[in-house]
PDB file of all heavy atoms in Angstrom:
ATOM      1  N   VAL A 109      -9.666  -5.415   3.378  1.00  0.00           N
ATOM      2  CA  VAL A 109     -10.192  -5.652   1.996  1.00  0.00           C
ATOM      3  C   VAL A 109     -11.668  -5.949   2.049  1.00  0.00           C
ATOM      4  O   VAL A 109     -12.502  -5.448   1.309  1.00  0.00           O
ATOM      5  CB  VAL A 109      -9.405  -6.785   1.258  1.00  0.00           C
ATOM      6  CG1 VAL A 109     -10.029  -7.049  -0.057  1.00  0.00           C
ATOM      7  CG2 VAL A 109      -7.939  -6.263   1.134  1.00  0.00           C
ATOM      8  N   PHE A 110     -12.034  -7.074   2.847  1.00  0.00           N
ATOM      9  CA  PHE A 110     -13.458  -7.446   2.859  1.00  0.00           C
ATOM     10  C   PHE A 110     -14.396  -6.524   3.547  1.00  0.00           C
ATOM     11  O   PHE A 110     -15.560  -6.403   3.200  1.00  0.00           O
ATOM     12  CB  PHE A 110     -13.580  -8.874   3.458  1.00  0.00           C
ATOM     13  CG  PHE A 110     -12.795  -9.861   2.678  1.00  0.00           C
ATOM     14  CD1 PHE A 110     -11.649 -10.458   3.130  1.00  0.00           C
ATOM     15  CD2 PHE A 110     -13.307 -10.224   1.413  1.00  0.00           C
ATOM     16  CE1 PHE A 110     -11.054 -11.390   2.359  1.00  0.00           C
ATOM     17  CE2 PHE A 110     -12.579 -11.228   0.651  1.00  0.00           C
ATOM     18  CZ  PHE A 110     -11.445 -11.748   1.093  1.00  0.00           C
ATOM     19  N   ALA A 111     -13.891  -5.615   4.434  1.00  0.00           N
ATOM     20  CA  ALA A 111     -14.667  -4.648   5.191  1.00  0.00           C
ATOM     21  C   ALA A 111     -15.288  -3.630   4.139  1.00  0.00           C
ATOM     22  O   ALA A 111     -16.380  -3.090   4.422  1.00  0.00           O
ATOM     23  CB  ALA A 111     -13.878  -3.988   6.253  1.00  0.00           C
ATOM     24  N   TYR A 112     -14.684  -3.446   3.150  1.00  0.00           N
ATOM     25  CA  TYR A 112     -15.296  -2.436   2.150  1.00  0.00           C
ATOM     26  C   TYR A 112     -16.759  -2.833   1.765  1.00  0.00           C
ATOM     27  O   TYR A 112     -17.568  -1.989   1.510  1.00  0.00           O
ATOM     28  CB  TYR A 112     -14.484  -2.346   0.875  1.00  0.00           C
ATOM     29  CG  TYR A 112     -13.365  -1.335   0.992  1.00  0.00           C
ATOM     30  CD1 TYR A 112     -12.091  -1.599   1.330  1.00  0.00           C
ATOM     31  CD2 TYR A 112     -13.654   0.033   0.694  1.00  0.00           C
ATOM     32  CE1 TYR A 112     -11.089  -0.633   1.406  1.00  0.00           C
ATOM     33  CE2 TYR A 112     -12.648   1.037   0.830  1.00  0.00           C
ATOM     34  CZ  TYR A 112     -11.399   0.692   1.177  1.00  0.00           C
ATOM     35  OH  TYR A 112     -10.457   1.663   1.282  1.00  0.00           O
ATOM     36  N   PHE A 113     -17.016  -4.151   1.800  1.00  0.00           N
ATOM     37  CA  PHE A 113     -18.269  -4.604   1.194  1.00  0.00           C
ATOM     38  C   PHE A 113     -19.306  -4.810   2.465  1.00  0.00           C
ATOM     39  O   PHE A 113     -20.350  -5.246   2.156  1.00  0.00           O
ATOM     40  CB  PHE A 113     -18.081  -5.956   0.527  1.00  0.00           C
ATOM     41  CG  PHE A 113     -17.118  -5.725  -0.677  1.00  0.00           C
ATOM     42  CD1 PHE A 113     -15.865  -5.892  -0.576  1.00  0.00           C
ATOM     43  CD2 PHE A 113     -17.729  -5.254  -1.829  1.00  0.00           C
ATOM     44  CE1 PHE A 113     -14.986  -5.702  -1.683  1.00  0.00           C
ATOM     45  CE2 PHE A 113     -16.912  -5.051  -2.979  1.00  0.00           C
ATOM     46  CZ  PHE A 113     -15.485  -5.193  -2.779  1.00  0.00           C
ATOM     47  N   ILE A 114     -18.938  -4.381   3.653  1.00  0.00           N
ATOM     48  CA  ILE A 114     -19.834  -4.602   4.800  1.00  0.00           C
ATOM     49  C   ILE A 114     -19.972  -3.231   5.473  1.00  0.00           C
ATOM     50  O   ILE A 114     -19.077  -2.755   6.179  1.00  0.00           O
ATOM     51  CB  ILE A 114     -19.289  -5.594   5.753  1.00  0.00           C
ATOM     52  CG1 ILE A 114     -18.962  -6.895   5.088  1.00  0.00           C
ATOM     53  CG2 ILE A 114     -20.272  -5.730   6.942  1.00  0.00           C
ATOM     54  CD1 ILE A 114     -18.170  -7.874   5.904  1.00  0.00           C
ATOM     55  N   PRO A 115     -21.018  -2.546   5.231  1.00  0.00           N
ATOM     56  CA  PRO A 115     -21.244  -1.126   5.830  1.00  0.00           C
ATOM     57  C   PRO A 115     -21.138  -1.308   7.332  1.00  0.00           C
ATOM     58  O   PRO A 115     -21.655  -2.268   7.969  1.00  0.00           O
ATOM     59  CB  PRO A 115     -22.698  -0.792   5.383  1.00  0.00           C
ATOM     60  CG  PRO A 115     -22.871  -1.516   4.150  1.00  0.00           C
ATOM     61  CD  PRO A 115     -22.182  -2.820   4.336  1.00  0.00           C
ATOM     62  N   GLY A 116     -20.480  -0.383   7.970  1.00  0.00           N
ATOM     63  CA  GLY A 116     -20.270  -0.332   9.351  1.00  0.00           C
ATOM     64  C   GLY A 116     -18.950  -0.960   9.751  1.00  0.00           C
ATOM     65  O   GLY A 116     -18.104  -0.354  10.418  1.00  0.00           O
ATOM     66  N   ILE A 117     -18.684  -2.111   9.244  1.00  0.00           N
ATOM     67  CA  ILE A 117     -17.326  -2.750   9.391  1.00  0.00           C
ATOM     68  C   ILE A 117     -16.307  -2.033   8.598  1.00  0.00           C
ATOM     69  O   ILE A 117     -15.114  -1.754   9.154  1.00  0.00           O
ATOM     70  CB  ILE A 117     -17.311  -4.168   8.925  1.00  0.00           C
ATOM     71  CG1 ILE A 117     -18.487  -5.036   9.701  1.00  0.00           C
ATOM     72  CG2 ILE A 117     -16.007  -4.849   9.136  1.00  0.00           C
ATOM     73  CD1 ILE A 117     -18.232  -5.037  11.147  1.00  0.00           C
ATOM     74  N   ARG A 118     -16.683  -1.479   7.438  1.00  0.00           N
ATOM     75  CA  ARG A 118     -15.743  -0.664   6.723  1.00  0.00           C
ATOM     76  C   ARG A 118     -15.313   0.623   7.440  1.00  0.00           C
ATOM     77  O   ARG A 118     -14.128   0.972   7.436  1.00  0.00           O
ATOM     78  CB  ARG A 118     -16.425  -0.231   5.339  1.00  0.00           C
ATOM     79  CG  ARG A 118     -15.705   0.745   4.564  1.00  0.00           C
ATOM     80  CD  ARG A 118     -16.384   1.136   3.292  1.00  0.00           C
ATOM     81  NE  ARG A 118     -17.712   1.689   3.432  1.00  0.00           N
ATOM     82  CZ  ARG A 118     -18.857   1.018   2.976  1.00  0.00           C
ATOM     83  NH1 ARG A 118     -18.641  -0.152   2.448  1.00  0.00           N
ATOM     84  NH2 ARG A 118     -20.004   1.533   3.158  1.00  0.00           N
ATOM     85  N   HIS A 119     -16.182   1.167   8.176  1.00  0.00           N
ATOM     86  CA  HIS A 119     -15.825   2.390   8.879  1.00  0.00           C
ATOM     87  C   HIS A 119     -14.979   2.086  10.041  1.00  0.00           C
ATOM     88  O   HIS A 119     -14.085   2.864  10.418  1.00  0.00           O
ATOM     89  CB  HIS A 119     -17.137   3.101   9.333  1.00  0.00           C
ATOM     90  CG  HIS A 119     -18.069   3.311   8.185  1.00  0.00           C
ATOM     91  ND1 HIS A 119     -18.952   2.409   7.781  1.00  0.00           N
ATOM     92  CD2 HIS A 119     -18.130   4.338   7.304  1.00  0.00           C
ATOM     93  CE1 HIS A 119     -19.666   2.924   6.741  1.00  0.00           C
ATOM     94  NE2 HIS A 119     -19.149   4.067   6.400  1.00  0.00           N
ATOM     95  N   VAL A 120     -15.155   0.979  10.659  1.00  0.00           N
ATOM     96  CA  VAL A 120     -14.380   0.651  11.882  1.00  0.00           C
ATOM     97  C   VAL A 120     -13.043   0.042  11.580  1.00  0.00           C
ATOM     98  O   VAL A 120     -12.089   0.241  12.357  1.00  0.00           O
ATOM     99  CB  VAL A 120     -15.264  -0.395  12.764  1.00  0.00           C
ATOM    100  CG1 VAL A 120     -14.414  -0.974  13.910  1.00  0.00           C
ATOM    101  CG2 VAL A 120     -16.557   0.188  13.257  1.00  0.00           C
ATOM    102  N   SER A 121     -12.901  -0.561  10.418  1.00  0.00           N
ATOM    103  CA  SER A 121     -11.586  -1.277  10.137  1.00  0.00           C
ATOM    104  C   SER A 121     -10.428  -0.378  10.034  1.00  0.00           C
ATOM    105  O   SER A 121      -9.343  -0.668  10.534  1.00  0.00           O
ATOM    106  CB  SER A 121     -11.799  -2.067   8.811  1.00  0.00           C
ATOM    107  OG  SER A 121     -11.842  -1.110   7.713  1.00  0.00           O
ATOM    108  N   GLY A 122     -10.571   0.847   9.576  1.00  0.00           N
ATOM    109  CA  GLY A 122      -9.473   1.871   9.643  1.00  0.00           C
ATOM    110  C   GLY A 122      -9.130   2.204  10.990  1.00  0.00           C
ATOM    111  O   GLY A 122      -7.870   2.308  11.294  1.00  0.00           O
ATOM    112  N   TYR A 123     -10.041   2.486  11.733  1.00  0.00           N
ATOM    113  CA  TYR A 123      -9.811   2.841  13.212  1.00  0.00           C
ATOM    114  C   TYR A 123      -9.076   1.718  13.905  1.00  0.00           C
ATOM    115  O   TYR A 123      -8.131   1.913  14.613  1.00  0.00           O
ATOM    116  CB  TYR A 123     -11.050   3.269  13.950  1.00  0.00           C
ATOM    117  CG  TYR A 123     -11.757   4.510  13.494  1.00  0.00           C
ATOM    118  CD1 TYR A 123     -12.971   4.466  12.756  1.00  0.00           C
ATOM    119  CD2 TYR A 123     -11.212   5.680  13.669  1.00  0.00           C
ATOM    120  CE1 TYR A 123     -13.627   5.498  12.399  1.00  0.00           C
ATOM    121  CE2 TYR A 123     -11.854   6.924  13.319  1.00  0.00           C
ATOM    122  CZ  TYR A 123     -13.018   6.788  12.654  1.00  0.00           C
ATOM    123  OH  TYR A 123     -13.634   7.967  12.167  1.00  0.00           O
ATOM    124  N   MET A 124      -9.595   0.409  13.720  1.00  0.00           N
ATOM    125  CA  MET A 124      -8.957  -0.671  14.423  1.00  0.00           C
ATOM    126  C   MET A 124      -7.523  -0.964  13.837  1.00  0.00           C
ATOM    127  O   MET A 124      -6.682  -1.361  14.642  1.00  0.00           O
ATOM    128  CB  MET A 124      -9.823  -1.901  14.271  1.00  0.00           C
ATOM    129  CG  MET A 124     -11.022  -2.011  15.149  1.00  0.00           C
ATOM    130  SD  MET A 124     -10.663  -1.834  16.900  1.00  0.00           S
ATOM    131  CE  MET A 124      -9.509  -3.109  17.154  1.00  0.00           C
ATOM    132  N   SER A 125      -7.257  -0.676  12.639  1.00  0.00           N
ATOM    133  CA  SER A 125      -5.934  -0.895  12.126  1.00  0.00           C
ATOM    134  C   SER A 125      -5.071   0.091  12.812  1.00  0.00           C
ATOM    135  O   SER A 125      -3.955  -0.282  13.062  1.00  0.00           O
ATOM    136  CB  SER A 125      -5.943  -0.569  10.564  1.00  0.00           C
ATOM    137  OG  SER A 125      -6.797  -1.498   9.892  1.00  0.00           O
ATOM    138  N   GLY A 126      -5.351   1.309  12.959  1.00  0.00           N
ATOM    139  CA  GLY A 126      -4.507   2.315  13.644  1.00  0.00           C
ATOM    140  C   GLY A 126      -4.335   1.980  15.126  1.00  0.00           C
ATOM    141  O   GLY A 126      -3.265   2.062  15.625  1.00  0.00           O
ATOM    142  N   ILE A 127      -5.516   1.552  15.816  1.00  0.00           N
ATOM    143  CA  ILE A 127      -5.377   1.207  17.219  1.00  0.00           C
ATOM    144  C   ILE A 127      -4.526   0.055  17.399  1.00  0.00           C
ATOM    145  O   ILE A 127      -3.704   0.037  18.348  1.00  0.00           O
ATOM    146  CB  ILE A 127      -6.897   0.935  17.747  1.00  0.00           C
ATOM    147  CG1 ILE A 127      -7.647   2.194  17.857  1.00  0.00           C
ATOM    148  CG2 ILE A 127      -6.773   0.259  19.090  1.00  0.00           C
ATOM    149  CD1 ILE A 127      -9.116   1.961  18.072  1.00  0.00           C
ATOM    150  N   SER A 128      -4.483  -0.949  16.475  1.00  0.00           N
ATOM    151  CA  SER A 128      -3.683  -2.238  16.716  1.00  0.00           C
ATOM    152  C   SER A 128      -2.324  -1.950  16.145  1.00  0.00           C
ATOM    153  O   SER A 128      -1.583  -2.939  16.102  1.00  0.00           O
ATOM    154  CB  SER A 128      -4.436  -3.374  16.050  1.00  0.00           C
ATOM    155  OG  SER A 128      -4.515  -3.103  14.729  1.00  0.00           O
ATOM    156  N   HIS A 129      -1.968  -0.798  15.655  1.00  0.00           N
ATOM    157  CA  HIS A 129      -0.617  -0.496  15.226  1.00  0.00           C
ATOM    158  C   HIS A 129      -0.198  -1.314  13.996  1.00  0.00           C
ATOM    159  O   HIS A 129       1.009  -1.670  13.843  1.00  0.00           O
ATOM    160  CB  HIS A 129       0.366  -0.491  16.382  1.00  0.00           C
ATOM    161  CG  HIS A 129       0.179   0.515  17.314  1.00  0.00           C
ATOM    162  ND1 HIS A 129       0.630   1.887  17.201  1.00  0.00           N
ATOM    163  CD2 HIS A 129      -0.563   0.538  18.525  1.00  0.00           C
ATOM    164  CE1 HIS A 129       0.242   2.515  18.241  1.00  0.00           C
ATOM    165  NE2 HIS A 129      -0.503   1.712  19.036  1.00  0.00           N
ATOM    166  N   LEU A 130      -1.183  -1.666  13.146  1.00  0.00           N
ATOM    167  CA  LEU A 130      -0.840  -2.411  11.931  1.00  0.00           C
ATOM    168  C   LEU A 130       0.129  -1.409  11.213  1.00  0.00           C
ATOM    169  O   LEU A 130      -0.184  -0.201  11.021  1.00  0.00           O
ATOM    170  CB  LEU A 130      -2.110  -2.624  11.123  1.00  0.00           C
ATOM    171  CG  LEU A 130      -1.946  -3.388   9.806  1.00  0.00           C
ATOM    172  CD1 LEU A 130      -1.618  -4.850  10.061  1.00  0.00           C
ATOM    173  CD2 LEU A 130      -3.189  -3.388   9.032  1.00  0.00           C
ATOM    174  N   PRO A 131       1.165  -1.882  10.709  1.00  0.00           N
ATOM    175  CA  PRO A 131       2.107  -1.018   9.932  1.00  0.00           C
ATOM    176  C   PRO A 131       1.426  -0.327   8.779  1.00  0.00           C
ATOM    177  O   PRO A 131       0.658  -0.874   8.076  1.00  0.00           O
ATOM    178  CB  PRO A 131       3.239  -1.938   9.368  1.00  0.00           C
ATOM    179  CG  PRO A 131       3.108  -3.107  10.315  1.00  0.00           C
ATOM    180  CD  PRO A 131       1.718  -3.256  10.705  1.00  0.00           C
ATOM    181  N   PHE A 132       1.610   0.996   8.682  1.00  0.00           N
ATOM    182  CA  PHE A 132       0.857   1.785   7.673  1.00  0.00           C
ATOM    183  C   PHE A 132       1.160   1.328   6.255  1.00  0.00           C
ATOM    184  O   PHE A 132       0.169   1.281   5.522  1.00  0.00           O
ATOM    185  CB  PHE A 132       1.261   3.235   7.838  1.00  0.00           C
ATOM    186  CG  PHE A 132       0.444   4.191   7.008  1.00  0.00           C
ATOM    187  CD1 PHE A 132      -0.935   4.454   7.264  1.00  0.00           C
ATOM    188  CD2 PHE A 132       0.911   4.667   5.763  1.00  0.00           C
ATOM    189  CE1 PHE A 132      -1.730   5.227   6.438  1.00  0.00           C
ATOM    190  CE2 PHE A 132       0.136   5.458   4.941  1.00  0.00           C
ATOM    191  CZ  PHE A 132      -1.154   5.783   5.239  1.00  0.00           C
ATOM    192  N   ARG A 133       2.329   0.914   5.931  1.00  0.00           N
ATOM    193  CA  ARG A 133       2.573   0.418   4.548  1.00  0.00           C
ATOM    194  C   ARG A 133       1.820  -0.798   4.320  1.00  0.00           C
ATOM    195  O   ARG A 133       1.143  -0.936   3.231  1.00  0.00           O
ATOM    196  CB  ARG A 133       4.052   0.034   4.379  1.00  0.00           C
ATOM    197  CG  ARG A 133       4.931   1.340   4.203  1.00  0.00           C
ATOM    198  CD  ARG A 133       6.351   1.028   3.953  1.00  0.00           C
ATOM    199  NE  ARG A 133       7.058   2.210   4.023  1.00  0.00           N
ATOM    200  CZ  ARG A 133       8.338   2.317   3.626  1.00  0.00           C
ATOM    201  NH1 ARG A 133       8.985   1.165   3.247  1.00  0.00           N
ATOM    202  NH2 ARG A 133       9.040   3.481   3.700  1.00  0.00           N
ATOM    203  N   LYS A 134       1.624  -1.796   5.225  1.00  0.00           N
ATOM    204  CA  LYS A 134       0.806  -2.914   4.975  1.00  0.00           C
ATOM    205  C   LYS A 134      -0.720  -2.451   4.947  1.00  0.00           C
ATOM    206  O   LYS A 134      -1.385  -2.978   4.110  1.00  0.00           O
ATOM    207  CB  LYS A 134       1.080  -3.881   6.188  1.00  0.00           C
ATOM    208  CG  LYS A 134       0.330  -5.220   6.053  1.00  0.00           C
ATOM    209  CD  LYS A 134       0.686  -6.138   7.194  1.00  0.00           C
ATOM    210  CE  LYS A 134       0.082  -7.469   6.970  1.00  0.00           C
ATOM    211  NZ  LYS A 134       0.441  -8.462   7.990  1.00  0.00           N
ATOM    212  N   TYR A 135      -1.064  -1.699   5.793  1.00  0.00           N
ATOM    213  CA  TYR A 135      -2.365  -1.142   5.792  1.00  0.00           C
ATOM    214  C   TYR A 135      -2.836  -0.528   4.448  1.00  0.00           C
ATOM    215  O   TYR A 135      -3.852  -0.811   3.859  1.00  0.00           O
ATOM    216  CB  TYR A 135      -2.559  -0.133   6.996  1.00  0.00           C
ATOM    217  CG  TYR A 135      -3.869   0.593   6.849  1.00  0.00           C
ATOM    218  CD1 TYR A 135      -5.097  -0.058   7.341  1.00  0.00           C
ATOM    219  CD2 TYR A 135      -4.055   1.923   6.424  1.00  0.00           C
ATOM    220  CE1 TYR A 135      -6.345   0.542   7.289  1.00  0.00           C
ATOM    221  CE2 TYR A 135      -5.286   2.595   6.397  1.00  0.00           C
ATOM    222  CZ  TYR A 135      -6.397   1.853   6.862  1.00  0.00           C
ATOM    223  OH  TYR A 135      -7.612   2.481   6.809  1.00  0.00           O
ATOM    224  N   ILE A 136      -1.989   0.368   3.913  1.00  0.00           N
ATOM    225  CA  ILE A 136      -2.294   0.980   2.700  1.00  0.00           C
ATOM    226  C   ILE A 136      -2.418   0.173   1.530  1.00  0.00           C
ATOM    227  O   ILE A 136      -3.212   0.330   0.569  1.00  0.00           O
ATOM    228  CB  ILE A 136      -1.384   2.258   2.519  1.00  0.00           C
ATOM    229  CG1 ILE A 136      -2.171   3.440   1.666  1.00  0.00           C
ATOM    230  CG2 ILE A 136      -0.112   1.891   1.803  1.00  0.00           C
ATOM    231  CD1 ILE A 136      -3.145   4.030   2.463  1.00  0.00           C
ATOM    232  N   VAL A 137      -1.551  -0.909   1.514  1.00  0.00           N
ATOM    233  CA  VAL A 137      -1.618  -1.924   0.386  1.00  0.00           C
ATOM    234  C   VAL A 137      -2.986  -2.588   0.463  1.00  0.00           C
ATOM    235  O   VAL A 137      -3.646  -2.708  -0.595  1.00  0.00           O
ATOM    236  CB  VAL A 137      -0.482  -2.930   0.485  1.00  0.00           C
ATOM    237  CG1 VAL A 137      -0.699  -4.127  -0.436  1.00  0.00           C
ATOM    238  CG2 VAL A 137       0.912  -2.211   0.187  1.00  0.00           C
ATOM    239  N   PHE A 138      -3.440  -3.082   1.596  1.00  0.00           N
ATOM    240  CA  PHE A 138      -4.662  -3.852   1.649  1.00  0.00           C
ATOM    241  C   PHE A 138      -5.885  -2.714   1.498  1.00  0.00           C
ATOM    242  O   PHE A 138      -6.883  -3.141   0.887  1.00  0.00           O
ATOM    243  CB  PHE A 138      -4.794  -4.514   2.961  1.00  0.00           C
ATOM    244  CG  PHE A 138      -4.059  -5.774   3.049  1.00  0.00           C
ATOM    245  CD1 PHE A 138      -2.720  -5.777   3.380  1.00  0.00           C
ATOM    246  CD2 PHE A 138      -4.564  -7.024   2.598  1.00  0.00           C
ATOM    247  CE1 PHE A 138      -1.943  -7.018   3.356  1.00  0.00           C
ATOM    248  CE2 PHE A 138      -3.878  -8.165   2.499  1.00  0.00           C
ATOM    249  CZ  PHE A 138      -2.537  -8.196   2.934  1.00  0.00           C
ATOM    250  N   CYS A 139      -5.717  -1.642   2.010  1.00  0.00           N
ATOM    251  CA  CYS A 139      -6.694  -0.570   1.827  1.00  0.00           C
ATOM    252  C   CYS A 139      -6.942  -0.218   0.367  1.00  0.00           C
ATOM    253  O   CYS A 139      -8.052  -0.120  -0.093  1.00  0.00           O
ATOM    254  CB  CYS A 139      -6.288   0.678   2.568  1.00  0.00           C
ATOM    255  SG  CYS A 139      -7.340   2.065   2.395  1.00  0.00           S
ATOM    256  N   CYS A 140      -5.788  -0.030  -0.345  1.00  0.00           N
ATOM    257  CA  CYS A 140      -5.905   0.268  -1.747  1.00  0.00           C
ATOM    258  C   CYS A 140      -6.551  -0.842  -2.653  1.00  0.00           C
ATOM    259  O   CYS A 140      -7.318  -0.658  -3.506  1.00  0.00           O
ATOM    260  CB  CYS A 140      -4.575   0.678  -2.351  1.00  0.00           C
ATOM    261  SG  CYS A 140      -3.978   2.286  -1.796  1.00  0.00           S
TER     262      CYS A 140
END
Side-chain angles (χ1 to χ4, degrees):
V109 174
F110 295 111
Y112 271 97
F113 299 93
I114 308 168
I117 303 297
R118 170 178 55 248
H119 305 92
V120 173
S121 68
Y123 293 109
M124 281 306 300
S125 297
I127 290 168
S128 64
H129 294 275
L130 184 70
F132 187 74
R133 287 184 185 186
K134 184 175 184 180
Y135 172 75
I136 207 70
V137 166
F138 284 90
C139 174
C140 287

